Amino acid sequence: NTYYVGTHGISAVLITSPAGHILIDGGPPAAADQVAAHVRALGFKVEDIRYILNGHDHFDHAGGIAALQKMSGATVLGSPASIAVLKSGQPDKRDPQYPSLIPMTPIANTRAVRDGEVVTLGPLAVTAHFTPGHTPGATSWTWQSTEGGKTMHVVYADSVTAIAADGRSFSRNPLYPTARADVERSIATIEGLQCDVLVSAHPDFGDLWERKTRGTLVDRDACRKYAEVGRAWLAKTLAAEGQP
């Protein structure tokens, strides 16, 4: 009951149930119709999406949520920091990539979740794991999905890459002084999750297409490998900024 409905380079995931569906992320605005078309091609109704969960509030992952929310009438959920951005449509000035961020269409029907909160819908139970660093409000999501009598732990891992806008420091940002500590803790959080199937916000960073080519999406080492990608990226960023 878990389906990839995003674009090739930006993830969106549909989790289905007879009580309604949950969508995670919506890609950029131009991808909203594509995501909706993928949902319909699977035989599901966009109007049956009850919740849209956000990973982080950047234009390329959240820009399409407003259109998908309008199509479905769903409530949009995310961390308090992400919801503040989605409600206003204006980027967070604390964000390491500010001011190189694009405003988005504001979303009215939203609700903030707590770290560790379980979002339930009929038989579905999706847990929020705050994983800040890439953005102050980034969130990863986990749930169980069953197919062919086998139940798997699925992880939607948000971005853990330490990136700053040109001319701005990731490790010395006075508006976000905990960015380094946050991303280190978030990488450890993802590494420690029960992880049979990983979908990362950018699927290439989590080797989703390589696993598909191999004929199985299951890799119980995938979250550890994804954590290694995050640590390598952080080390490269810190070295460029003259940090140990």
Side-chain angles (χ1 to χ4, degrees):
N1 64 331
T2 295
Y3 303 88
Y4 187 94
V5 293
T7 69
H8 184 81
I10 302 289
S11 293
V13 172
L14 183 73
I15 313 168
T16 66
S17 85
H21 315 317
I22 294 175
L23 177 68
I24 305 180
D25 279 343
D33 287 340
Q34 184 177 351
V35 171
H38 289 163
V39 171
R40 295 185 184 110
L42 289 165
F44 302 109
K45 295 180 180 179
V46 175
E47 295 79 8
D48 288 338
I49 297 172
R50 301 289 182 255
Y51 295 120
I52 300 176
L53 314 182
N54 178 229
H56 69 268
D57 51 65
H58 284 170
F59 180 84
D60 53 340
H61 301 274
I65 289 178
L68 288 160
Q69 191 277 330
K70 188 174 181 180
M71 294 178 203
S72 63
T75 301
V76 177
L77 308 181
S79 70
S82 286
I83 289 300
V85 172
L86 298 180
K87 287 176 67 174
S88 69
Q90 297 302 311
D92 188 339
K93 293 182 179 179
R94 300 173 299 164
D95 194 302
Q97 295 183 54
Y98 186 89
S100 301
L101 297 171
I102 302 172
M104 298 175 285
T105 301
I107 301 169
N109 189 12
T110 64
R111 180 171 69 81
V113 300
R114 303 178 307 277
D115 188 17
E117 182 173 337
V118 180
V119 177
T120 59
L121 178 63
L124 304 181
V126 184
T127 302
H129 304 266
F130 287 3
T131 48
H134 184 74
T135 70
T139 304
S140 298
W141 302 89
T142 61
W143 64 98
Q144 292 185 20
S145 192
T146 300
E147 180 176 344
K150 294 182 179 179
T151 299
M152 298 286 179
H153 294 276
V154 185
V155 176
Y156 184 92
D158 198 50
S159 296
V160 288
T161 45
I163 303 173
D166 290 344
R168 192 165 187 175
S169 172
F170 181 85
S171 59
R172 297 191 184 95
N173 180 352
L175 296 179
Y176 189 14
T178 62
R180 176 178 179 174
D182 279 358
V183 79
E184 289 174 336
R185 186 168 55 252
S186 296
I187 289 168
T189 294
I190 290 173
E191 186 175 42
L193 293 173
Q194 287 186 285
C195 184
D196 298 316
V197 178
L198 167 69
V199 181
S200 53
H202 291 270
D204 290 322
F205 286 11
D207 294 331
L208 180 69
W209 305 130
E210 290 185 15
R211 283 180 277 131
K212 183 175 183 293
T213 299
R214 293 200 300 266
T216 177
L217 297 178
V218 178
D219 181 354
R220 292 177 175 83
D221 220 18
C223 282
R224 183 191 62 77
K225 295 173 185 175
Y226 186 61
E228 289 177 356
V229 170
R231 289 196 178 99
W233 200 296
L234 176 62
K236 181 180 177 181
T237 297
L238 294 176
E241 295 177 355
Q243 293 287 332

